[in-house]
Amino acid sequence: MRVGGHRGSSAAAPENTYAAFERALADSAAFVETDIRRTSDGALVLMHDPTVERTTDGRGPIAALSLLEVRGLDAGAWFGDEFRGQRVPEFGDFLRWIEQRPAMGAALEVKSADTGAQVAEQAWSSPARERLAIYSFSAAEIRAAKAARPQVPCVLLLELTQDPAAVIAAVDDAGADGADVPWQWNARELIDRMRQRGMIVGGGSATGDQAADRLLDLGVDMIDTDQPAAMLAAVQRLSP
């Protein structure tokens, strides 16, 4: 089971910043999960929320701000004074960061509409393309990514409230290579069916020994967590 940093090591540093990504690398995470949105002038940046208030000193929707305006935001001070001056990463720069760290992969979650194809093109153009995958809750964005670059692995994200019985059909409809199955589900039968189809099986996002024990029992391929060092320690304790 590969353990990744959810928006980096986001319990220890401001999410979706290089401080959080560097901490995930130091915590021995195998990959970082991050979120991609589009600015008003079409640039791709790393931001989870549709608005910038929670994680920067700015205001308003990211889609209403230009790249120049986003570059001026402080994305670290909200988390702690020692992170003041952290900026919102640009997607192209983030790919170069990954390329320079051969031990690190990335799960690229597409948040903005009409963005999946561009993310797939840039991911496939990267020398790190074998360490990159696209994630999305949107079947349309996965279909667009697959149409642009079918070689890039794509994982459909699932809501906790979705019907597990409908997952296989949803993955097929999106043209995805697998799904991120919430670890809280009683999903052994579903995961067995996914394995029979050769699908990628993720375990959602989780922290703690209970989640680690459950994920190891289910045999998922990967999990992302706000605390990758703690999850890795739990996996080591609980593994046979």
Side-chain angles (χ1 to χ4, degrees), residues 8-219:
S9 285
S10 55
E15 66 180 61
N16 284 330
T17 65
Y18 288 115
F21 300 146
E22 290 285 0
R23 178 60 182 265
L25 183 64
D27 287 343
S28 299
F31 65 95
V32 290
E33 181 272 346
T34 191
D35 309 282
I36 303 170
R37 291 190 179 274
R38 192 183 295 278
T39 65
S40 64
D41 46 356
L44 299 183
V45 297
L46 307 189
M47 175 75 60
H48 177 271
D49 295 3
T51 58
V52 302
E53 283 90 341
R54 183 175 65 85
T55 57
T56 78
D57 58 351
R59 295 189 62 81
I62 191 82
L65 300 175
S66 69
L67 178 59
L68 185 62
E69 290 173 313
V70 172
R71 284 174 173 169
L73 299 177
D74 188 310
W78 67 275
F79 194 91
D81 284 343
E82 67 271 33
F83 298 106
R84 189 175 300 278
Q86 287 287 314
R87 301 300 172 191
V88 177
E90 297 172 39
F91 179 49
D93 292 340
F94 172 74
L95 287 179
R96 286 186 283 276
W97 184 88
I98 290 288
E99 290 161 9
Q100 294 164 10
R101 290 157 178 82
M104 180 66 75
L108 311 171
E109 184 177 341
V110 175
K111 290 287 193 183
S112 294
D114 302 320
T115 301
Q118 184 179 349
V119 171
E121 291 283 7
Q122 289 187 233
W124 190 248
S125 297
S126 168
R129 64 189 183 187
E130 301 297 334
R131 295 181 270 126
L132 305 174
I134 291 174
Y135 286 35
S136 188
F137 285 100
S138 168
E141 294 308 313
I142 288 181
R143 283 192 290 268
K146 279 296 191 184
R149 288 293 177 181
Q151 309 95 322
V152 178
C154 290
V155 177
L156 181 66
L157 298 175
L158 304 172
E159 300 283 0
L160 190 59
T161 55
Q162 284 181 246
D163 180 5
V167 167
I168 299 288
V171 172
D172 287 342
D173 176 65
D177 298 289
D180 210 32
V181 178
W183 68 272
Q184 298 94 332
W185 286 1
N186 182 16
R188 189 173 302 281
E189 181 180 349
L190 167 61
I191 290 174
D192 287 345
R193 290 173 58 209
M194 292 175 69
R195 291 293 186 207
Q196 291 167 10
R197 292 279 302 276
M199 292 180 174
I200 298 168
V201 181
S205 297
T207 57
D209 283 16
Q210 179 187 5
D213 191 36
R214 177 74 174 152
L215 292 160
L216 287 167
D217 183 54
L218 291 171

